[in-house]
Amino acid sequence: MSRELDKVYNPQATEGKIYANWIENNYFHAEVNSKKKPYTIVIPPPNITGKLHMGHALDQTLQDSIIRYKRMQGYSALWLPGTDHASIATEAKIVNAMKEEGLTKEGIGREKFLERAWQWKEQYGGTIVEQLKKLGSSCDWERERFTLDEGCNKAVNEVFVRLYEKGLIYRGERIINWCPHCKTSISDAEVEYEEQAGHFWHIRYPIVGSDEYLEIATTRPETLLGDTAVAVNPNDERYKHLIGKMLLLPLVNREIPIIADDYVDIEFGTGCVKITPAHDPNDFEVGLRHNLPIINVMNDDGTINDKGGIYSGQDRYEARKNIVSDLEKGGFLVQVKDYSHNVGTCYRCSSTVEPRVSKQWFVKMKTLAEPAIEAVKEGKTKFIPERFDKTYFHWMEGIRDWCISRQLWWGHRIPAYYCEDCGELVVSRTAVDTCPKCSSKRMVQDPDTLDTWFSSALWPFSTLGWPEKTPELDYFYPTDTLVTGYDIIFFWVARMIFSAIEHTGEVPFNTVLIHGLVRDAQGRKMSKSLGNGIDPLEIIEKYGADTLRFTLLTGNAPGNDMRFSDDKVLASRNFANKLWNASRFILMNLSDEIKDTNLPETLTTEDKWVLTLYNNLIREVTENMDKFELGMAVQKLYDFIWDIFCDWYIEVTKARLNAGGETAINAQKVLCYIMNNTLKLLHPFMPFITEEIWQNLPHSAEEGKTIMLADFPVYSDGLNFEKESKDFQKIIDMIKAIRNCRSEMNIPPSKKAKLFIETNEQDVFENGKPFFERLASANEINIANEFNIEGAVQVITTHARAFIPMNELIDREKEMQRLLKEKEKCQEDIDFVSKKLNNEGFVAKAPAKLIEAEKAKLDGHLDRMKKIVESIEALN
């Protein structure tokens, strides 16, 4: 075992080596073990098209910190990894790559396309996994899964068939969200709404056989090609006499009826609504009630189809422009009003979504949503922070049937088969080659695939072997904690909960830990358009994974967004260096006889002080971790290591280390004990540097071969020395106060002075004499109940008052001269800046930023003047 660390910590040379050792020794693997409690986290599977970004890095750091903590607590801790096949994103990448070769999907056919897709997955799909490893992720890589692997496919087919047999999956014509760019349907959860400036076009619809007309207003004039009625409210006195009459549809010259429906708001607009059942969800429902024809006027790519007459083949926006022009020419356009409204866009490509009627597969949601809502209300699954259950309830209580079919080839193909001879539909777990109705061999499988989220919804149990009753499923399921961002509560979290309850009878996890977004230093969302994205791999390359992890955890609070800045990164790097240098100092001063980290039998007051604070740290960090307050745990570790241990305890032990003999050995043992165990507390957050230092510190064979399997420290009453700790804290408080006072007076530590301490606790401060000499620059210390000393600086704490004779600190005459010179210079600075700010020409022409900077300068000079005057008065 080495007893020396390199002068400087080099994460680039260390982290890869350490991770390889962890992998080689199978330290991340979790087994079914009846002697241990299980603790399970399933990874939110990143897309195989993905590249590590800051959101991933935060998500992974939180999960890894939790699983490492639980592993050290003795749980059989499983962090199950995997990736998502990401139908839309992956298919788009493959189609684009083929385009460069002059090929199309349809040109090469489904089989050849899927061969290419699997090749692409093999070549690029593992990139994100390797990047997760660079972050230090301690996933059980032996259990890595893929949402399109054989086991997940079996689970998907099983779920589809079960839901179909229960009447919860059906096929029918419904209004769905259609992305003309991706050329597939998308679910309600995949539609993102954004405020867009648009228009209300007011159009006249002539009444047949009359000079009268109805005026309607629409934001999508191109859809009038598919109008099949105009609706008015049955209680609207303006239009009651027109109900049942026919209108002539402008430009199309097709007659359509005026119908009465309560859906129409009398107060909104003109009180007349054009009804286009094929292109609006509300109109579709009106159409069903009134048995209206459904006329779809759009192709899959957003162009007008052959039902659009002269506009056939035109893009929807080109058709809109031409239709508006023709309405104006025909005298049908009344007016155009500006109008801002929420427009649905595709979450993948940001194209405007087109509502359209389509024959699709749906899941009936009401039956599935109810028990999932109750499970959260009853606390079977808890959201942290609790406020996010409102988001969950809002979505689940207003949920519509889920459109699960996608017009894509990459994904789980729908297990439905059609007979080409008699039209029979068969839903089956396995391939069907013979029609059960007419015995025809002409069976074809539905060409559509399932929504990616359909397979992701089964992730917590499909990855553990379901529908088989495996030992892993029995032991590790239900899982414990899901860590995810607030942006996919409805995409994924809700669907996992209702799927798990339906198919396993249990919630999939007991806790959902929600984290926020990682924003830039100015609080802006990281995006390509702003160019403010920060590559986590670059931070790892430059500073190491521990620095990145510590930065992401510092100040992190569940559910809240966080700001990422260079200053935070440098602070984390400096903390790692501080830890390294402290460990190096300990090892350099360690005797060969120190073989373990047991405490000595004899402890000094300062030992008892640091051990009490360390013991409290264990309790607080454990409480924070159990409440998922990782940011608070990290801050407490930072404060203890930097301030208490490095800046104070190591400093106060230096005299003992130099003394030699048993005194030095005892100090070494306490230093080793604290460092060894504090590294264990820190390990979940900074796994690499803690492993590297721990391997070089003395530790017993019982502690194992790696810090990641060492026992997490536990609070002990035996390390609670309340009186001694409070006594030594009084000494430290006085030393701090003296140092602050001397610093304000610009007196260097080398300038020694007499110290008179007035206190009722003389025995406490008598014990502190060696520390006052070394750390408070005292060359003589007097302690009594009372002193009467004139011309002395007074330093006051809660438990004592210290006097330092002024002539011990400074030459009064020289100091007065210095202060008067400083006052003169400061007045010059004040006059110079004031003159600038009183110059009307400067104020009128200078940028606001420069004026603010000058005002700040003036405030600084005035503050300095106030302090100089106070110092002169104190000297007098």
Side-chain angles (χ1 to χ4, degrees):
M1 179 173 60
S2 166
R3 281 290 174 92
E4 194 174 337
L5 293 174
D6 292 339
K7 194 170 184 183
V8 178
Y9 177 57
N10 183 352
Q12 291 77 17
T14 307
E15 291 180 352
K17 174 190 73 177
I18 288 174
Y19 198 85
N21 180 58
W22 287 336
I23 292 282
E24 187 183 330
N25 286 287
N26 219 16
Y27 291 147
F28 303 158
H29 184 59
E31 283 287 354
V32 173
N33 185 342
S34 59
K35 293 176 182 174
K36 287 185 175 186
K37 278 186 181 178
Y39 192 92
T40 316
I41 298 177
V42 291
I43 200 171
N47 293 348
I48 54 169
T49 56
K51 181 176 180 289
L52 191 73
H53 57 64
M54 275 301 173
H56 287 133
L58 172 61
D59 201 62
Q60 298 297 308
T61 298
L62 291 168
Q63 289 175 81
D64 193 46
S65 300
I66 294 165
I67 209 74
R68 285 179 182 272
Y69 167 65
K70 291 296 179 181
R71 195 182 283 126
M72 292 176 78
Q73 283 192 319
Y75 288 83
S76 183
L78 170 63
W79 185 15
L80 200 147
T83 48
D84 196 296
H85 63 280
S87 295
I88 296 177
T90 308
E91 186 148 321
K93 281 199 177 287
I94 297 154
V95 167
N96 288 338
M98 285 167 53
K99 199 183 285 181
E100 291 176 14
E101 299 176 49
L103 299 172
T104 64
K105 268 171 67 176
E106 295 72 21
I108 66 168
R110 187 170 195 137
E111 199 174 321
K112 291 285 184 192
F113 176 81
L114 288 175
E115 280 178 19
R116 280 176 170 261
W118 281 104
Q119 284 167 8
W120 190 94
K121 188 261 174 188
E122 291 308 312
Q123 191 172 351
Y124 300 108
T127 302
I128 186 109
V129 169
E130 293 310 307
Q131 292 171 342
L132 296 181
K133 290 177 180 178
K134 283 188 179 297
L135 198 60
S137 302
S138 62
C139 297
D140 189 345
W141 297 111
E142 285 183 33
R143 297 185 188 276
E144 186 182 346
R145 298 298 300 271
F146 177 49
T147 53
L148 206 53
D149 66 25
E150 190 180 334
C152 287
N153 182 247
K154 184 178 180 182
V156 163
N157 287 344
E158 181 67 31
V159 165
F160 190 97
V161 173
R162 285 189 188 188
L163 292 177
Y164 180 77
E165 288 173 348
K166 287 180 80 171
L168 294 175
I169 281 183
Y170 64 93
R171 190 170 185 246
E173 283 206 328
R174 289 284 184 278
I175 283 279
I176 50 95
N177 307 296
W178 183 268
C179 175
H181 178 265
C182 298
K183 292 183 188 172
T184 184
S185 58
I186 59 175
S187 71
D188 292 342
E190 293 165 314
V191 177
E192 291 179 347
Y193 289 90
E194 57 182 49
E195 186 84 4
Q196 288 184 8
H199 304 285
F200 254 138
W201 283 273
H202 286 249
I203 305 165
R204 285 190 181 119
Y205 282 39
I207 298 171
V208 175
S210 163
D211 291 336
E212 287 186 276
Y213 59 84
L214 287 184
E215 184 182 316
I216 65 93
T218 180
T219 58
R220 298 159 69 213
E222 67 279 9
T223 62
L224 73 75
L225 301 171
D227 284 2
T228 55
V230 167
V232 296
N233 191 292
N235 301 313
D236 194 332
E237 295 297 335
R238 293 172 294 176
Y239 306 119
K240 266 186 176 179
H241 66 291
L242 297 175
I243 295 167
K245 293 196 173 184
M246 301 299 283
L247 297 165
L248 193 66
L249 187 58
L251 307 182
V252 181
N253 296 324
R254 175 164 37 83
E255 289 191 9
I256 61 173
I258 300 171
I259 61 171
D261 198 284
D262 290 326
Y263 156 67
V264 181
D265 182 352
I266 296 174
E267 304 296 326
F268 186 74
T270 63
C272 303
V273 178
K274 65 191 267 319
I275 303 298
T276 321
H279 295 284
D280 182 276
N282 295 314
D283 292 4
F284 180 78
E285 297 300 327
V286 174
L288 288 180
R289 286 196 290 275
H290 295 270
N291 204 24
L292 296 174
I294 296 170
I295 303 172
N296 180 9
V297 297
M298 259 182 226
N299 293 313
D300 290 356
D301 60 358
T303 57
I304 304 300
N305 65 20
D306 56 8
K307 291 193 178 78
I310 62 169
Y311 308 104
S312 176
Q314 294 179 13
D315 175 75
R316 54 184 167 161
Y317 298 118
E318 183 191 357
R320 176 183 294 180
K321 188 177 163 189
N322 292 332
I323 286 169
V324 169
S325 173
D326 291 344
L327 286 168
E328 192 170 17
K329 286 173 191 169
F332 299 109
L333 190 64
V334 180
Q335 61 175 325
V336 182
K337 288 184 178 176
D338 291 340
Y339 179 66
S340 278
H341 59 139
N342 271 333
V343 176
T345 60
C346 174
Y347 83 113
R348 277 285 169 212
C349 68
S350 300
S351 300
T352 298
V353 166
E354 202 61 55
R356 59 178 272 187
V357 160
S358 179
K359 201 161 205 177
Q360 301 284 347
W361 288 92
F362 295 86
V363 177
K364 284 184 184 173
M365 283 310 309
K366 195 172 186 318
T367 309
L368 295 171
E370 285 170 355
I373 290 167
E374 284 309 306
V376 175
K377 283 183 176 174
E378 290 169 9
K380 291 177 183 174
T381 293
K382 290 185 175 70
F383 282 85
I384 295 175
E386 196 177 320
R387 67 179 186 270
F388 283 101
D389 60 11
K390 291 182 182 65
T391 307
Y392 173 83
F393 292 137
H394 177 73
W395 193 72
M396 289 291 272
E397 285 164 0
I399 201 165
R400 297 198 311 173
D401 286 357
W402 175 17
C403 175
I404 54 170
S405 45
R406 298 289 179 269
Q407 290 61 55
L408 301 165
W409 287 353
W410 175 246
H412 292 277
R413 194 167 175 180
I414 290 173
Y417 302 82
Y418 309 97
C419 176
E420 291 185 297
D421 289 330
C422 74
E424 179 73 358
L425 164 65
V426 183
V427 169
S428 171
R429 293 169 178 82
T430 54
V432 177
D433 54 14
T434 305
C435 175
K437 188 174 180 183
C438 72
S439 302
S440 168
K441 295 288 185 184
R442 287 164 34 87
M443 298 294 290
V444 291
Q445 188 173 357
D446 193 304
D448 289 354
T449 53
L450 286 161
D451 178 4
T452 298
W453 298 102
F454 191 92
S455 51
S456 303
L458 318 180
W459 188 247
F461 52 94
S462 65
T463 50
L464 292 168
W466 189 94
E468 306 302 326
K469 288 189 164 101
T470 63
E472 285 78 10
L473 184 69
D474 184 53
Y475 181 71
F476 289 114
Y477 184 85
T479 71
D480 291 273
T481 304
L482 179 81
V483 181
T484 190
Y486 56 64
D487 50 340
I488 57 170
I489 290 174
F490 38 82
F491 271 134
W492 190 43
V493 179
R495 286 170 175 163
M496 282 191 285
I497 294 174
F498 70 64
S499 297
I501 292 170
E502 171 65 21
H503 302 296
T504 70
E506 298 180 275
V507 292
F509 26 72
N510 56 48
T511 306
V512 181
L513 174 60
I514 301 288
H515 61 76
L517 302 176
V518 183
R519 297 182 178 273
D520 71 6
Q522 296 172 47
R524 299 173 303 173
K525 193 173 178 179
M526 292 186 183
S527 68
K528 285 180 185 174
S529 57
L530 288 174
N532 63 343
I534 299 166
D535 185 350
L537 294 170
E538 287 180 11
I539 303 289
I540 291 172
E541 186 59 39
K542 192 170 181 182
Y543 301 109
D546 285 333
T547 291
L548 174 62
R549 290 167 66 116
F550 203 79
T551 304
L552 289 168
L553 291 168
T554 300
N556 185 278
N560 292 350
D561 293 348
M562 63 161 295
R563 295 189 179 195
F564 192 93
S565 66
D566 291 341
D567 289 345
K568 276 189 174 181
V569 174
L570 291 175
S572 300
R573 190 273 313 269
N574 293 343
F575 175 68
N577 288 343
K578 183 92 168 177
L579 180 70
W580 184 263
N581 291 336
S583 307
R584 194 165 174 271
F585 172 82
I586 292 168
L587 287 165
M588 285 166 63
N589 285 278
L590 217 54
S591 307
D592 290 339
E593 63 189 84
I594 306 284
K595 304 291 184 192
D596 54 38
T597 53
N598 295 329
L599 284 170
E601 289 180 15
T602 306
L603 295 170
T604 63
T605 303
E606 63 267 30
D607 293 339
K608 291 176 180 179
W609 168 76
V610 78
L611 286 166
T612 302
L613 294 178
Y614 154 74
N615 198 32
N616 291 339
L617 177 72
I618 296 171
R619 184 180 57 208
E620 289 172 13
V621 167
T622 304
E623 283 174 4
N624 291 145
M625 289 299 287
D626 290 343
K627 292 178 185 173
F628 301 99
E629 298 165 342
L630 278 70
M632 289 177 72
V634 157
Q635 189 60 52
K636 285 167 185 172
L637 279 160
Y638 178 96
D639 293 343
F640 176 84
I641 291 167
W642 190 292
D643 187 35
I644 305 298
F645 188 61
C646 295
D647 285 357
W648 282 102
Y649 184 70
I650 287 178
E651 282 303 309
V652 301
T653 58
K654 282 180 178 176
R656 289 164 65 197
L657 292 172
N658 293 332
E662 190 180 344
T663 303
I665 293 292
N666 285 354
Q668 290 169 31
K669 284 184 174 181
V670 178
L671 283 167
C672 257
Y673 178 87
I674 297 280
M675 179 56 82
N676 179 298
N677 287 290
T678 306
L679 288 173
K680 292 176 193 173
L681 292 173
L682 185 62
H683 174 76
F685 316 110
M686 300 181 86
F688 291 109
I689 192 170
T690 51
E691 181 76 276
E692 181 70 5
I693 296 169
W694 189 82
Q695 291 293 352
N696 286 279
L697 281 172
H699 51 266
S700 61
E702 292 80 45
E703 289 184 278
K705 295 180 179 177
T706 173
I707 191 172
M708 66 179 288
L709 298 181
D711 290 340
F712 197 78
V714 176
Y715 177 84
S716 166
D717 288 331
L719 291 180
N720 187 20
F721 306 100
E722 192 174 349
K723 184 188 181 302
E724 292 90 336
S725 177
K726 283 180 178 176
D727 286 350
F728 195 70
Q729 190 62 50
K730 292 167 190 173
I731 293 165
I732 285 182
D733 290 345
M734 180 55 79
I735 292 170
K736 281 182 180 176
I738 293 167
R739 281 176 164 183
N740 289 339
C741 176
R742 291 174 63 105
S743 173
E744 284 169 14
M745 295 175 72
N746 296 314
I747 298 160
S750 56
K751 178 80 175 173
K752 303 288 182 183
K754 286 178 185 170
L755 184 62
F756 297 84
I757 297 176
E758 186 180 275
T759 179
N760 292 327
E761 300 178 69
Q762 292 178 40
D763 56 336
V764 171
F765 285 88
E766 281 289 345
N767 290 334
K769 276 185 175 180
F771 305 114
F772 290 120
E773 285 176 9
R774 286 187 43 247
L775 302 173
S777 303
N779 56 10
E780 183 184 316
I781 298 127
N782 299 282
I783 298 170
N785 278 339
E786 192 176 342
F787 287 106
N788 186 13
I789 301 170
E790 291 186 6
V793 175
Q794 291 187 31
V795 179
I796 300 167
T797 66
T798 311
H799 299 277
R801 174 162 59 171
F803 299 88
I804 310 171
M806 189 69 80
N807 58 10
E808 290 277 323
L809 295 174
I810 51 174
D811 182 321
R812 291 175 70 138
E813 201 173 314
K814 277 186 183 175
E815 179 64 7
M816 182 62 82
Q817 285 174 2
R818 185 188 71 78
L819 286 169
L820 290 171
K821 270 187 189 175
E822 202 172 321
K823 184 184 177 189
E824 190 181 331
K825 171 72 173 65
C826 189
Q827 189 60 53
E828 285 173 8
D829 292 339
I830 289 168
D831 294 343
F832 179 75
V833 180
S834 297
K835 193 176 175 184
K836 249 190 198 182
L837 290 170
N838 292 329
N839 182 334
E840 288 178 11
F842 170 77
V843 174
K845 291 176 186 173
K849 229 177 184 179
L850 181 58
I851 293 169
E852 287 304 313
E854 291 300 317
K855 284 180 179 175
K857 270 188 200 172
L858 181 60
D859 289 343
H861 295 325
L862 290 168
D863 190 47
R864 188 157 57 96
M865 177 62 85
K866 186 185 171 194
K867 286 177 180 170
I868 293 167
V869 170
E870 284 173 356
S871 295
I872 290 170
E873 286 172 358
L875 206 59
N876 284 326

